[in-house]
Amino acid sequence: MTSELTRRDFVKAGLVAGAGLTLTVSLEGCSKEAAPRAGGAAFAPNAWIRIGADDTVTVIVDRSEMGQGVSTSLPMLVAEELDAEWATIRYEFAPANEAYYNPLSLGQLTGGSTSIRAAWRPLREAAAKARLMLVGAAAGAWGIAPEQCRTESGAVIAPDGRSVRFGAVAARAATLPIPERVTLKKPGEFRLIGKPVPRLDLRAQVTGKTVFGIDAGPADALIAVVARCPVFGGTLRSFDDGAARTVPGVKRVLRISNGVAVVAAGYWAAKLGRDALKIEWDEGAGATLDDAAVSARLTALAGGSGHSARKTGDLTQGFAGAAKSLDAVYEVPYLAHASMEPMNCTADVRADSVTVWAPTQFQAGPRLLGGGTRGAAAKAGGVSVDRVTVHTTNLGGGFGRRAETDFVVEACEVSRAMGAPVKLIWSREDDIRHDQYRPAARHVLRAGIDASGAPVAWSHRIISPSIVAKYLPGWLPTFATHLAGPLKGGVDASAIEGAVDLPFTVPNFELSYSQADLGVPVGFWRSVANSHTAFALQCFVDELALLAGKDPVAYRRDLLARSPRNLGVLNLAAERAGWDVPAAAGRFRGIAVHESFGSFVAQVAEVSVAEGGVRVHRVVCAVDCGQVVNPDTVAAQIEGAIVFGLTAALKGRITLAKGRVTQSNFHDYKLLTMREMPVIEVHLVASTMEPGGVGEIGTPPIAPAVANAVFAATGKRIRTLPIAV
């Protein structure tokens, strides 16, 4: 995974990353064949290492920090291969630029649990090349061969014990040719990778100095809020702003593409001004949409044939020869992202430039994907993309929502109209009622088993809206298979992930997909389709285990005999949870195992059921994500993903009435509370395989693990989320 870049390229990208560098080395990304630019020329997504005369090593982090620890894990890769002293490591967020395109997602995008996977080799190669250049510079000054030197803790050391700090030879190193090839450390040689390293952003987080989007931008920026049509697809007919303009602090009321913006000196004035607006909306056909209509549409599509996504063998013959068969239908609702920091963006649109401060997951991308924040800002601001500067801030939660650009467009439109910097802020109600929701879905499953309980026929039908279709109906270049794919043959690959490749063999199998166009805006939500395919599949497997007369863990062991990594986490989770030992009185266990984003996770949930509902007391989680970079941040991400998924499993549901979302805030779109939090144990499988994803993989198994535990407690199968008993 290397590419040819000239020294001029390095200098240009170094200037993009920031002035004052002494030594700048590229992070070379995917090959020319793997990631063509829109114009056809070869490119590599780049990150940059900056070594100063004061010995500081600054890593330009090209992924968004939303709590997952990427601002520590990526610098760890650099420090490892550079042999830098950890105390000298600093980081800065990258600007929006093609140099930082993620080779796994066709843009400068943080999503799909790709940050470590995309950087694992290229970033280490960049650091190793920088180290060789530093060694060459020191060896040249000493008049000895570079091969005679070694590096340790930020210094080059000669055979006779002489040493020189990196900062002292950085300027000389910058004049040397860039090595074409490097040898990377083997896992046994790692001194940082695989070790728990304190986060670089920890002090700022606990002292309140971390800058989130809502904190950023010019101090004199005006504040804007927007009134949007409460019905999806509705448009503005007319508005009376007389009362709004009399609110003290309100500067202006103006029409924008998405509704009516009220601009004021502060948030409260803007909010009161919006409340005072008299608006007439053209609600359109969407005003009739409600939960019953959604259910009816999904039911109607389930009765059709759908588009085949994968087919092997002969289903008719398979079912005819089955000893027993089982039919089941599973349903999941729309879900909001509900990130703790509501959507916001600060924009300063001028005649020839646009500057944006945004908590974004998608800084830049090709035009065919809308160009990300940079492309959206350029279009809304009326300038070319090269005239747009994007300052990425920390994100107060992302979960896929901040990969969208609707909030960026609104901020730029208002700033352009005002001729001044504007900070646009969504209220919590705006956020929940105007989200890009996790699609509702219905899974229709049927399986036949032989006398031993092994499945011999398997039919799976998925009916849900398409996320990919909203970007480019009918066609999309291959994103990464874990994020999205072409709508080839009517199948959205992002809607069937987690179901299309079963980890066990069924001789007669068919998976089909039906796209449900329901008029509700949808988007990527943590773990995407895995959030519902895992629920359907792992609950169904539990039901098959009962049909076969086998213990749920034993049955899965049989199914996963040829999938060693799935089997490994299954056995580890069962062992650490004490599966073969009876649970405490009144408690019951359920299990689920799921592969997603290149990683494998098994979870055992221990629950009790009473009149108050389901209480989850303990979750034991086993994770095989390949080589772990920082075990502390991996465990934290898994814990957070379990809480995220558990909230959805027990409470999450967006409902519709008259084309409107009925929820508005955390009183009716509830989150898991501190007192409801279970004890979570995370056990990592030691591995030297290349890293898999981490940020999303803990979410998919929790709902089926809890649902299966509820069955163990009550004898009632859970086929609909959120769980109700």
Side-chain angles (χ1 to χ4, degrees):
M1 294 182 68
T2 59
S3 62
E4 297 296 326
L5 294 178
T6 66
R7 185 169 294 278
R8 178 178 296 178
D9 293 326
F10 294 138
V11 172
K12 181 188 296 184
L15 292 174
V16 168
L21 22 154
T22 306
L23 171 62
T24 303
V25 179
S26 80
L27 175 148
E28 297 178 344
C30 60
S31 67
K32 297 175 183 178
E33 293 78 9
R37 281 182 177 170
F43 86 101
N46 289 270
W48 304 94
I49 303 166
R50 194 161 74 227
I51 301 176
D54 63 353
D55 247 16
T56 58
V57 178
T58 302
V59 180
I60 308 301
V61 173
D62 57 355
R63 299 293 166 254
S64 301
E65 178 61 80
M66 46 191 151
Q68 80 276 39
V70 71
S71 56
T72 298
S73 55
L74 293 186
M76 284 179 67
L77 300 181
V78 170
E80 181 67 73
E81 293 292 346
L82 190 61
D83 274 339
E85 194 171 17
W86 184 247
T88 67
I89 299 293
R90 307 288 186 270
Y91 74 91
E92 295 176 6
F93 292 126
N97 191 275
E98 288 86 350
Y100 301 104
Y101 276 18
N102 182 337
L104 296 181
S105 58
L106 201 65
Q108 190 176 345
L109 172 68
T110 304
S113 298
T114 60
S115 294
I116 291 295
R117 286 188 288 166
W120 174 246
R121 286 187 177 276
L123 193 51
R124 291 166 60 216
E125 286 178 0
K129 290 181 180 182
R131 185 180 61 80
L132 288 184
M133 294 168 74
L134 292 164
V135 169
W142 291 328
I144 61 177
E147 293 77 14
Q148 294 179 274
C149 302
R150 63 186 177 87
T151 53
E152 183 179 325
S153 299
V156 182
I157 304 171
D160 60 7
R162 287 177 293 173
S163 67
V164 61
R165 301 293 300 175
F166 286 170
V169 293
R172 181 184 179 98
T175 67
L176 300 179
I178 299 166
E180 292 185 3
R181 298 182 182 279
V182 290
T183 299
L184 300 179
K185 291 182 180 180
K186 296 180 173 60
E189 300 171 312
F190 291 156
R191 61 183 182 82
L192 276 178
I193 292 175
K195 307 295 192 302
V197 175
R199 290 177 58 141
L200 292 175
D201 59 354
L202 186 60
R203 180 176 294 275
Q205 294 279 4
V206 299
T207 58
K209 295 180 180 178
T210 301
V211 176
F212 294 93
I214 210 162
D215 307 315
D220 61 347
L222 297 169
I223 305 298
V225 299
V226 175
R228 304 167 187 84
C229 184
V231 175
F232 300 127
T235 57
L236 177 65
R237 181 172 293 164
S238 64
F239 68 96
D240 179 351
D241 62 357
R245 287 186 286 107
T246 67
V247 174
V250 170
K251 304 293 185 182
R252 189 175 172 188
V253 180
L254 55 102
R255 182 172 188 159
I256 63 172
S257 62
N258 205 27
V260 181
V262 178
V263 187
Y267 176 79
W268 191 243
K271 195 263 184 192
L272 291 178
R274 183 177 67 173
D275 292 345
L277 290 171
K278 297 178 180 179
I279 302 178
E280 185 177 356
W281 301 103
D282 181 355
E283 296 183 351
T288 63
L289 186 65
D290 57 18
D291 290 346
V294 169
S295 181
R297 178 62 175 157
L298 293 176
T299 299
L301 288 169
S305 58
H307 300 281
S308 181
R310 180 187 166 201
K311 185 176 182 179
T312 57
D314 186 321
L315 278 180
T316 301
Q317 182 178 342
F319 280 113
K324 297 178 181 178
S325 64
L326 175 69
D327 292 84
V329 177
Y330 301 88
E331 298 181 11
V332 298
Y334 287 105
L335 293 174
H337 294 80
S339 54
M340 194 54 63
E341 179 190 17
M343 308 309 292
N344 66 87
C345 177
T346 301
D348 187 359
V349 178
R350 306 192 179 191
D352 61 350
S353 67
V354 176
T355 303
V356 168
W357 294 262
T360 177
Q361 291 179 241
F362 191 10
Q363 289 83 356
R367 185 180 301 173
L368 57 86
L369 290 180
T373 290
R374 185 175 61 168
K379 185 176 181 180
V383 301
S384 57
V385 292
D386 63 311
R387 306 300 298 172
V388 176
T389 300
V390 177
H391 298 287
T392 303
T393 67
N394 285 266
L395 284 60
F399 317 125
R401 177 63 178 97
R402 298 186 199 275
E404 308 288 347
T405 58
D406 48 351
F407 58 104
V408 175
V409 171
E410 290 179 345
C412 290
E413 288 181 350
V414 177
S415 176
R416 186 179 187 182
M418 296 299 295
V422 171
K423 184 189 297 291
L424 179 109
I425 300 176
W426 290 37
S427 68
R428 181 71 59 201
E429 290 76 11
D430 295 335
D431 208 18
I432 289 178
R433 288 177 168 168
H434 299 279
D435 201 350
Q436 306 288 314
Y437 303 92
R438 197 284 303 272
R442 180 169 295 182
H443 293 254
V444 181
L445 282 130
R446 186 183 185 212
I449 60 174
D450 63 18
S452 71
V456 293
W458 187 291
S459 171
H460 189 173
R461 181 78 176 282
I462 299 175
I463 306 99
S464 76
S466 168
I467 299 172
V468 174
K470 77 174 185 178
Y471 294 104
L472 267 182
W475 179 83
L476 182 71
T478 300
F479 228 23
T481 56
H482 54 274
L483 274 179
L487 284 167
K488 185 177 180 180
V491 177
D492 179 352
S494 74
I496 62 172
E497 58 186 7
V500 68
D501 293 315
L502 292 178
F504 46 87
T505 301
V506 181
N508 305 289
F509 172 88
E510 182 169 20
L511 174 70
S512 61
Y513 169 73
S514 293
Q515 180 179 335
D517 297 316
L518 300 171
V520 178
V522 294
F524 296 111
W525 187 90
R526 194 173 193 171
S527 79
V528 200
N530 291 283
S531 65
H532 53 86
T533 57
F535 168 65
L537 288 174
Q538 285 299 302
C539 287
F540 192 59
V541 166
D542 234 56
E543 295 198 42
L544 289 178
L546 181 65
L547 186 67
K550 295 187 177 182
D551 170 80
V553 169
Y555 187 69
R556 285 174 172 83
R557 285 189 180 122
D558 292 341
L559 292 181
L560 299 174
R562 297 182 181 180
S563 182
R565 297 182 74 182
N566 271 303
L567 186 60
V569 293
L570 171 71
N571 287 334
L572 180 58
E575 175 192 345
R576 295 302 176 92
W579 183 267
D580 294 327
V581 178
R587 296 190 183 185
F588 301 85
R589 299 187 185 112
I591 194 163
V593 57
H594 189 72
E595 174 189 354
S596 61
F597 307 98
S599 295
F600 304 78
V601 179
Q603 292 173 7
V604 175
E606 189 171 295
V607 314
S608 62
V609 180
E611 288 186 9
V614 177
R615 175 67 189 270
V616 181
H617 299 274
R618 180 186 181 212
V619 177
V620 177
C621 181
V623 180
D624 180 354
C625 58
Q627 175 68 60
V628 172
V629 176
N630 189 336
D632 280 359
T633 54
V634 170
Q637 288 181 78
I638 295 298
E639 290 165 358
I642 288 172
V643 173
F644 193 81
L646 189 55
T647 293
L650 298 178
K651 302 171 184 284
R653 183 178 181 86
I654 288 293
T655 56
L656 304 166
K658 297 182 179 179
R660 294 160 168 79
V661 170
T662 61
Q663 290 75 22
S664 63
N665 209 313
F666 290 145
H667 70 286
D668 54 8
Y669 192 77
K670 296 182 179 181
L671 304 183
L672 199 72
T673 63
M674 291 291 286
R675 65 186 179 87
E676 296 172 307
M677 180 69 186
V679 173
I680 297 177
E681 302 173 22
V682 178
H683 303 281
L684 304 180
V685 174
S687 175
T688 58
M689 299 186 71
E690 292 206 358
V694 170
E696 301 173 86
I697 61 174
T699 293
I702 187 62
V706 173
N708 292 335
V710 170
F711 171 75
T714 66
K716 176 184 177 181
R717 284 295 179 189
I718 302 298
R719 293 180 175 176
T720 301
L721 294 179
I723 294 170
V725 293

